[in-house]
Every structure is written in structure tokens, then in C-alpha cells.
Amino acid sequence: MQSKTKVKLPYQPSTKQSKSRGFTLIEVMVVVVILGILAAMVVPKIMSRPDQAKIVKAQQDVMAIQGALDLYKLDNGFYPTTDQGLAALVKKPDSDPAPQSWKTGGYLQTLPIDPWNKPYQYLNPGVHGEVDIFSYGPTGKAGDSEIGNWNSGENAQSSQNGKAAGT
């Protein structure tokens, strides 16, 4: 007696598998066109944001420096002088008035540089408050587009509006 067994090889597709092998060229082209349209709409919006991102970064830096200055004043009873500058937050100043309770290790690890690769400015006494911390902003000029501790909440909006009006 011979039994007939049907041997099915694993690499032979069944009739159901052979009908759904992959995507057709037209289906792939439709997806590529849709992705192209989406990219054409999204990329310009993303590319116009670097200036706004730099302004937000500068605002955050100014607020961080303000916080470190407040801790300095809390420990020592006064802010560093304009001559001592923001470096007094990293390294204990030697000039008068010398801080008596300067925090070991400093108040900042390093001084940040603004997003336009310029140092942040510091005035004590300030023009806008007890102390002024600011960046000259994208133009790098005084009085043009400063980002400071006196206008940190409003400056991103006004800088963008000013830029749009000037364009």
C-alpha cells in the first residue's frame, strides 16, 4: 500500500499570497506625491522659525542669568557691579565690593553666549530696573531689538511684528 501524501514546499505561494505581493507602481507614486505636497506645506513653516527660536533661547538665558543674580544678591546682599559683570556669577570677584558669602562653585557653571554669538550685557544700576541683563538681539545694535529682563515676555512678539512690518 502506497499512501499518497502531498508535499507542499514552503517557498511556493498559495493562491491567496500570490494576489497580494506588494504595492503597484501607481500606489507608490500616489504616496510619494502626497508626501511631497505635505513637505511643501510644512517645510516653509519650519524654516521660518529659527529666528523665533533664537529669540526664545535668548529670553530663557536672560531669565536664567537673572535667577543666578538674585541668588548672588540673596547670599551677599547686593548685585555685582557693572565692572565685575556677569563673570562674578562664575568666578568670585576680587574687586570691591567683594562678596563675603559667595557660593563655592559659583552661581553659573559658564556664562552663556547669546544665540548670535555675542556676550550678554549687564548694567548695575540698570536703566529699566535694579539691574539690566540683555542681548542686542538679531541686529546686534543698541535700541533696535534688545532682549532683556525688562521685556522678556513681550519681545518675541514685538520682534516678529517689527520684522514683518519692515519686510
Side-chain angles (χ1 to χ4, degrees), residues 52-62 112-116 120 147:
Q52 185 179 2
K54 287 180 178 182
I55 291 169
V56 170
K57 165 82 167 82
Q59 291 171 334
Q60 291 172 342
D61 285 350
V62 165
I113 303 289
D114 79 10
W116 300 276
Y120 285 97
I147 300 163

Side-chain angles (χ1 to χ4, degrees), residues 57-81:
K57 165 82 167 82
Q59 291 171 334
Q60 291 172 342
D61 285 350
V62 165
M63 290 297 105
I65 293 168
Q66 179 68 59
L69 283 167
D70 290 343
L71 288 174
Y72 182 101
K73 182 179 181 182
L74 186 65
D75 288 348
N76 299 291
F78 54 87
Y79 288 114
T81 65

Side-chain angles (χ1 to χ4, degrees), residues 22-35:
F23 298 108
T24 65
L25 180 59
I26 293 175
E27 291 170 330
V28 172
M29 292 301 291
V30 167
V31 170
V32 168
V33 168
I34 291 171
L35 290 175

